[in-house]
Amino acid sequence: MNIYDIKRKANELLVNHDKLFKVLLYIGIIQAIFSAVSTLFDGVVGGIVSLIIAILTLTLSHGAIVASLKTVNNMQESIDEQEDALVGLKKIGHLFPTYFLYDFIIGIICFVVGIIGFLIIMSVSSVSIEQFLQLFTITINGLTVSQAQIVNTADAFSNVFSILMLVICLIIFISVYFSLKFGLFNYILQKYDITGMAALKESSRLMKGNKWTLFKLELSFLGWMILSAIIAGVIAMLVEMIIPISFLASLIESILTVFVSVYLYEMKLNVCVAVFYEELDYEDKYENMQAQDEGM
């Protein structure tokens, strides 16, 4: 599957994109309102409010999946802007377990890797700190510090930094890998109503040999993402200069940023991934039908 063909098909489907644009915009605005509300609270209360908001909005993005699949299947007229935008909230009881399981599995894997890396860093850093203390003691006692001692201490701290960077890179790699591996679970959940671990396993099966294609597809939007971030930064500076009320400024910043990101890349990215999924699903069904015909 070629990402250029996926993008070409997405461009053809996005000729009539008004309804999809509104769905994504509504979802972003709802998220922006929730985020702005969380800034009103500080301390423990703020933490609790942020947790509640994170739970409530975990499935909010599912409306984008619904609208994207309708777009890819030439059902743009059946997109209901408000209904589809709110489907993630309305069906949270049904959707939440699968979305939570996805985040939990990736989170726990990264956490375990982080803990292992932390233990390794602690064991190495204890040696580094010991060497540093020895060097410090020699210095304050007015004794001569040898070049070898300085080099050994510098090497020890360099090793700690190298291990730290390695652990960070490993966590990022693992996070990206499993995000790609399970990345189609929400489309499977929507199209076939397969939930929980079964949805993740089905995504893993479909993504065998296809992770690199999805990675390249998403990476191809990096330039637009950077441009969107730059524009968002400029918007934030201007809004904060004009509006002194932090809550109102934060809300307006978020809404304008959502509009920019949806217009620049999110709409096309969502459709591209939906095209990618439907192509995979079609090929998988076709191969299964061939296998059944040959077995008869």
Side-chain angles (χ1 to χ4, degrees), residues 55 58-59 95-107 185 200:
I55 292 171
L58 182 63
T59 61
L95 301 171
F96 185 83
T98 309
Y99 273 81
F100 176 78
L101 184 63
Y102 167 79
D103 285 342
F104 177 78
I105 289 176
I106 294 178
F185 84 92
L200 299 185

Side-chain angles (χ1 to χ4, degrees), residues 24 47 201 218 227 231 238 267:
L24 295 177
K201 287 181 178 178
E218 293 180 344
L227 177 60
I231 295 174
L238 294 174
M267 188 167 51

